[in-house]
Amino acid sequence: MKILLLCILVLCSVVSSYSTVESGESRHISGHLVSKKYSADWKDLDTRPLPYWYDDAKIGIFLHWGVYSVIGFSEWFWSNWKGGDKKITKFMKEHYPPDFTYQDFAPMFKAEFFDPSEWADLFLKSGARYIVLTSKHHDGFTMFPSHRSYSWNSYEVGPKRDIVGELSTAVRAAGLKFGVYHSLYEWFNPIYEEDKKNNFTTRYYAETKLWPDLKQLINDYKPSVLWSDGDWETYDTYWKSTDFLAWLYNESPVKDEIVVNDRWGIGIPCKHGDFYNCADRYNPGSLQNHKWENAFTVDSRSWGFRKPMTLNDTLSTNQILYQVVSTISCGGNALINVGPTQDGTISPIFQERLLDLGNWLKINGEAIYSTSPWLHQNDSLNQDVWYTCRKVKHSHRHPTAIPRDNDNITAIYAIFLKWPTTNILLLKDLSTYLHNGVYKIELLGNEGLINWNIKNGVTSIELPDKAKVHSENAWTLKMSLK
Ligand SMILES: C[C@@H]1O[C@@H](Oc2ccc([N+](=O)[O-])cc2)[C@@H](O)[C@H](O)[C@@H]1O
């Protein structure tokens, strides 16, 4: 007996030392990452380098689309209704038969005008580099033919189409990355409710629904982003988040490509994940240590399509640019949400905002894509100015965090969101870098060089006649060596 125990002990220690060697290494050979095996704990998972495409992309489009788009209140409609929301109760009483259920809305979700390549064309023109679609929100309705969501998916009810499949194909054909939003919990799934009733000591839902669904999603659609949500009722130990991520990073068909956010259980957001969302609409205004993403909505009041939305509720192009620019300057990505309609269209007001962004990026994209945060983010003299910079390529970047060094800078960009009435832009934080006159300044989208001088530590930049400048809403000054 003793000998047997000893043998087991020795075997265990051999196995564990082998696995530490395995998991302790990650090497770059001629630019290629030799993938290591991650163990299923946060400490090891956190060492995974961020796939470069994500930091380079900077801008994505978020789509909240599902059965809730039919009602047009918000994606939380069902839960709010059941929770006794007065407005909703009254609305349902006035407009629907007394026994009408949330499920009865599903056949009305026809998506009859849904043309994925038209959407992809719009997204391409917006300048976004990745798309994130709700593959399943908290109502549990899957936008793909889930093997575990019988009669509660877009392939069997409503559109009768594999929305995730069709959109992923079209988006990729346009050269963009495709990702999925996925809610861990389902408000009213009886199997989940049973686990919940058992204080999450049982894991029936996680084993029989969640895991098979997630694996199907990853294996069948090979998304580049998995945007996890609905994690907050219980711990990552119930979800088995680390096991899932170890599988995702080690074995899955997207192991080198995929990025995930931070919503993997109580206490995890803002602490673990390839990038952090922290709270929704999170925009800290200062440089962060870890890659993060600002997910925000063009309709300031809802993620899903809201029929009573007014023009006033929507973010203006200038407000969207403020979010995009301040976020990227602080090391984040911007994920801009719009809610498509039940017919499968994207309303013209959202189209216009996205196209405005695209037109702005055509001129100013050089200050956005593949840039790094600079030494300063928001100019200390002029609050409407945000900096980014360009560095010689990737090999110098820290693999998991936002680069903080200031080596290898080839250009500094100052993006300003208000045109000064005097036509003179005053900046402070640039002054120590520009002093010796070897720098030139250009305004993107405008011919020729810009006159500038430094007095008492303030850089004064003479802007050209505004009428002759192509960019609108925000402008970029580029500082580089002569
Ligand atoms: C993107 C959004 O994500 C969640 O809402 C959240 C989740 C987390 C926080 N948070 O951490 O502050 C706030 C809203 C969803 O409930 C919501 O419907 C939408 O899908």
Side-chain angles (χ1 to χ4, degrees), residues 1-15:
M1 187 62 192
K2 263 188 193 160
I3 292 175
L4 188 69
L5 264 177
L6 195 74
C7 282
I8 290 172
L9 266 176
V10 169
L11 201 69
C12 281
S13 68
V14 168
V15 169

Side-chain angles (χ1 to χ4, degrees), residues 62 64 75-76 137-138 181 227 229 232 263 278-280 303:
F62 206 177
H64 274 67
E75 75 287 355
W76 270 76
H137 204 262
H138 313 326
Y181 163 106
W227 209 101
D229 194 30
W232 47 77
R263 293 188 181 166
C278 303
D280 291 11
W303 296 85

